[in-house]
């Protein structure tokens, strides 16, 4: 389904993110997660893309498997890093043939451990990728006459590559105006950052839906990893204090992280968020606890898992 239809039909939306498994054991963990979460019937699930195309085929296979063997609606990431126009066109053709309705157009992370020259990429910034996808849509190659719905990333705490926040918003507006239908934000832990970002978007005459990205802290190792993502994340002192009190008790750490994320979600819903996107790290337990605690009714078209 096209993202415009999803947002029009049912708001707020709830969605999950998965990443492609790299080992058979990881694959089993992921497919169990999909079984666990399918009955919640999220409005869509996104599938990440490895830096430098390291998980290209894994991403494509996972997207197609979700599309053809589950009731879930997958939205694959498409990134600028290490790609030329022919490669992106081939990916879009493949997804169009599988009737994938939407994509998320991202700059992508720099690959680690391999030589990388950004100047060789056909798409220097996400705006270039958005424009290319729009041109593809106009070609009529997609079964939906509108082509793909196109999403872009938003950064409530600010884009790490653009410290000047005025210039950052100019760039962001240009990216949205190039053809974005919706925005999914990077993870954040202080809702004030999200509300301020949403207001600045309105002031910049950006009016597409803004979906909030939430990642529950479920372990101290995960907490430290989050701090490295997307150039860092701001952790409120309230969360740091709570985690410090129980850092040697893994179960207490998980409860603290889930409770904090749950409070974030309640506040977002009370303030008319367009949607909440859960970064699951391919595990379902924290997300299920949050979903159940929010009292979100299962969508009426939910069916038994089919994976």
């Amino acid at each position: 389904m096209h993202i415009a239809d999803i947002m029009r039909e049912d708001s707020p939306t709830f969605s999950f993110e998965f990443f492609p498994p790299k080992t058979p054991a990881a694959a089993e963990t992921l497919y169990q997660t999909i079984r666990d979460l399918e009955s919640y019937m999220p409005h869509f699930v996104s599938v990440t893309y490895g830096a430098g195309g390291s998980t290209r085929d894994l991403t494509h296979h996972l997207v197609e498997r979700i599309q053809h063997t589950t009731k879930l609606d997958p939205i694959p990431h498409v990134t600028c890093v290490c790609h030329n126009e022919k490669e992106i066109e081939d990916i879009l053709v493949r997804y169009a043939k599988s009737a994938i309705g939407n994509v998320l157009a991202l700059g992508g992370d720099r690959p680690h451990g391999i030589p990388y020259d950004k100047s060789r990429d056909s798409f220097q910034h996400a705006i270039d990728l958005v424009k290319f996808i729009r041109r593809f849509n106009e070609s009529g190659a997609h079964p939906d006459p509108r082509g793909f719905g196109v999403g872009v990333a938003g950064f409530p705490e600010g884009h790490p590559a653009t410290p000047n926040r005025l210039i950052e918003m100019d760039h962001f507006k240009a990216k949205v105006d190039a053809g974005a239908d919706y925005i999914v934000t990077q993870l954040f832990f202080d809702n004030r950052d999200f509300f301020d970002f949403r207001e600045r978007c309105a002031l910049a005459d950006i009016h597409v839906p803004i979906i909030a990205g939430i990642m529950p802290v479920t372990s101290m190792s995960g907490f430290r990893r989050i701090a490295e993502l997307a150039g860092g994340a701001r952790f409120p002192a309230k969360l740091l204090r709570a985690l410090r009190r129980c850092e040697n008790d893994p179960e207490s750490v998980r409860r603290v992280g889930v409770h904090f994320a749950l409070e974030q979600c309640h506040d977002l819903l009370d303030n008319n968020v367009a949607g909440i996107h859960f970064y699951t790290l391919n595990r379902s337990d924290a997300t299920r606890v949050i979903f159940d605690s929010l009292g979100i009714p299962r969508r009426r078209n939910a069916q038994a898992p089919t994976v």
Side-chain angles (χ1 to χ4, degrees):
M1 182 181 289
H2 199 277
I3 196 70
D5 301 328
I6 295 172
M7 304 302 295
R8 190 181 306 115
E9 261 186 22
D10 201 2
S11 188
T13 60
F14 298 94
S15 51
F16 309 132
E17 179 173 285
F18 303 130
F19 59 85
K22 295 182 180 180
T23 67
E28 285 311 305
T29 297
L30 172 59
Y31 296 138
Q32 184 58 53
T33 295
I34 292 174
R35 292 185 188 98
D36 292 341
L37 294 178
E38 187 180 4
S39 64
Y40 286 83
M41 283 304 291
H43 295 83
F44 64 87
V45 297
S46 69
V47 182
T48 68
Y49 204 62
S54 59
T55 57
R56 286 180 191 176
D57 288 336
L58 291 172
T59 294
H60 303 327
H61 293 320
L62 178 57
V63 168
E64 290 168 337
R65 180 168 182 176
I66 292 172
Q67 174 78 343
H68 297 306
T69 68
T70 79
K71 304 295 182 184
L72 301 176
D73 187 9
I75 296 184
H77 292 196
V78 181
T79 64
C80 299
V81 171
C82 296
H83 272 310
N84 59 44
E85 291 191 359
K86 178 63 166 58
E87 290 168 335
I88 293 296
E89 183 177 14
D90 289 346
I91 291 168
L92 296 177
V93 167
R94 179 172 179 172
Y95 286 151
K97 288 180 178 177
S98 289
I100 302 298
N102 307 278
V103 294
L104 195 58
L106 307 170
D109 300 323
R110 292 180 64 93
H112 296 291
I114 62 171
Y116 172 61
D117 180 0
K118 181 177 173 60
S119 67
R120 298 181 63 184
D121 291 342
S122 293
F123 309 96
Q124 289 296 299
H125 303 285
I127 185 175
D128 304 317
L129 189 55
V130 171
K131 291 177 178 178
F132 185 84
I133 297 169
R134 281 298 174 199
R135 289 197 298 272
F136 178 88
N137 286 348
E138 293 167 3
S139 73
H142 196 285
D144 187 321
R146 297 167 296 183
F148 290 104
V150 182
V152 296
F155 298 84
E157 297 178 352
H159 196 292
T162 314
N164 185 320
R165 296 296 168 237
L166 295 177
I167 293 176
E168 177 203 26
M169 188 52 67
D170 289 341
H171 290 170
F172 186 67
K173 177 172 172 52
K175 179 171 70 171
V176 173
D177 288 349
D181 298 297
Y182 63 103
I183 298 161
V184 181
T185 77
Q186 181 57 264
L187 63 93
F188 59 91
F189 292 96
D190 190 331
N191 285 4
R192 290 175 298 182
D193 287 323
F194 175 81
F195 296 139
D196 180 73
F197 172 70
R198 188 171 65 176
E199 188 171 356
R200 284 185 289 120
C201 284
L203 289 169
D205 203 27
I206 296 170
H207 300 296
V208 300
I210 304 174
I211 298 170
I214 296 294
M215 180 183 284
V217 174
T218 57
S219 68
M220 291 307 295
S221 60
F223 167 67
R224 295 184 181 95
R225 181 182 171 197
I226 290 169
E228 296 293 329
L229 294 176
R234 283 202 288 270
F235 296 98
K238 177 181 177 181
L239 175 59
L240 293 173
R241 256 194 318 270
L243 289 171
R244 186 171 295 177
R245 283 195 295 265
C246 62
E247 60 185 330
N248 296 318
D249 181 349
E251 179 55 28
S252 293
V253 168
R254 191 191 71 84
R255 284 200 297 268
V256 164
V258 169
H259 178 72
F260 192 90
L262 179 60
E263 286 190 326
Q264 279 190 271
C265 292
H266 276 301
D267 185 41
L268 290 166
L269 293 171
D270 288 344
N271 286 278
N272 301 312
V273 70
I276 300 177
H277 189 60
F278 292 97
Y279 296 105
T280 68
L281 297 180
N282 284 13
R283 297 189 176 275
S284 65
D285 48 353
T287 305
R288 286 189 291 124
V289 169
I290 293 170
F291 244 64
D292 291 339
S293 300
L294 286 173
I296 301 166
R298 305 291 177 96
R299 294 166 66 204
R300 280 177 295 189
N301 61 340
Q303 300 186 29
T306 58
V307 175

